[in-house]
Amino acid sequence: MGRGRKTLGRPLAIGVLVVSVTGVGLGAYWFQPWKLWQDETVREALPGVVAPTAPAAGVPSASPSPAPQPRTLAGGALISHEHATSGSVKLVRLPDGSHVVRLEDLDTSNGPDLRVWLTDAPVKEGRAGWHVFDDGAYVSLGKLKGNKGSQNYAVPADVDPSRYTSVSIWCDRFDVSFGAAELARA
């Protein structure tokens, strides 16, 4: 009888070990804690900036008209939510009529499944602002390219950017804002 318990205990112990290892592996994949120590810096120039060109040698110069430049329509400073976040956000109309959301001097934590959202939600400080951005209208502009630096996110052509009043660095995996900025119209 003592022998039966011993053989029954071994499969149970192996089963508990397998379930535990699987649980730890899935938890690590889900939370991705290593990203807290990994920074990714992105330094993108603002698209559509056209440098003036000099006339060709020997060609008489008429007064050149300045090339159209990007125009900032709205902007604001990022505030912290779930993670310390700083930098600024601009909504910019490019010379071709398209729009981009530009993050400048961004500094936030890295995390799993971070997105840049253009939203109609009000920006609230503290814990009150962590979960408001998926309550109303929002447009995901794509995955966050890096948790540090300056980067651009194209606004889809069928989206009217004047309908949106804020930008959030949104963790889609945990439905929480890392940081956000109110877009004050220029």
Side-chain angles (χ1 to χ4, degrees):
M1 197 161 168
R3 220 166 173 25
R5 281 190 199 155
K6 192 172 192 176
T7 58
L8 181 62
R10 178 174 275 162
L12 180 62
I14 291 172
V16 168
L17 181 62
V18 167
V19 168
S20 296
V21 168
T22 302
V24 168
L26 289 173
Y29 170 76
W30 187 255
F31 286 96
Q32 298 179 357
W34 57 88
K35 286 195 170 189
L36 292 174
W37 296 279
Q38 294 176 335
D39 288 330
E40 197 166 334
T41 302
V42 174
R43 291 188 177 91
E44 290 182 330
L46 180 63
V49 176
V50 180
T53 57
V59 176
S61 164
S63 143
S65 59
Q69 297 294 317
R71 184 168 155 239
T72 300
L73 303 177
L78 286 160
I79 65 166
S80 299
H81 281 148
E82 171 71 18
H83 291 267
T85 301
S86 63
S88 63
V89 175
K90 292 180 181 177
L91 174 62
V92 179
R93 182 173 39 232
L94 300 177
D96 67 2
S98 65
H99 295 87
V100 296
V101 168
R102 179 161 174 81
L103 305 178
E104 291 186 337
D105 302 319
L106 174 66
D107 188 359
T108 192
S109 298
N110 206 340
D113 207 13
L114 295 180
R115 307 285 174 153
V116 177
W117 279 13
L118 187 59
T119 81
D120 68 353
V123 175
K124 299 177 183 178
E125 294 202 26
R127 292 183 68 95
W130 287 16
H131 302 282
V132 300
F133 297 99
D134 59 351
D135 293 344
Y138 63 88
V139 176
S140 178
L141 302 179
K143 286 187 172 248
L144 186 69
K145 297 172 186 176
N147 63 308
K148 297 189 179 299
S150 297
Q151 47 211 269
N152 308 299
Y153 297 86
V155 177
D158 62 343
V159 171
D160 177 4
S162 68
R163 293 186 50 227
Y164 300 93
T165 58
S166 61
V167 171
S168 173
I169 307 301
W170 184 258
C171 180
D172 216 19
R173 170 119 355 123
F174 295 104
D175 293 328
V176 67
S177 174
F178 272 36
E182 193 81 36
L183 290 173
R185 301 294 169 190

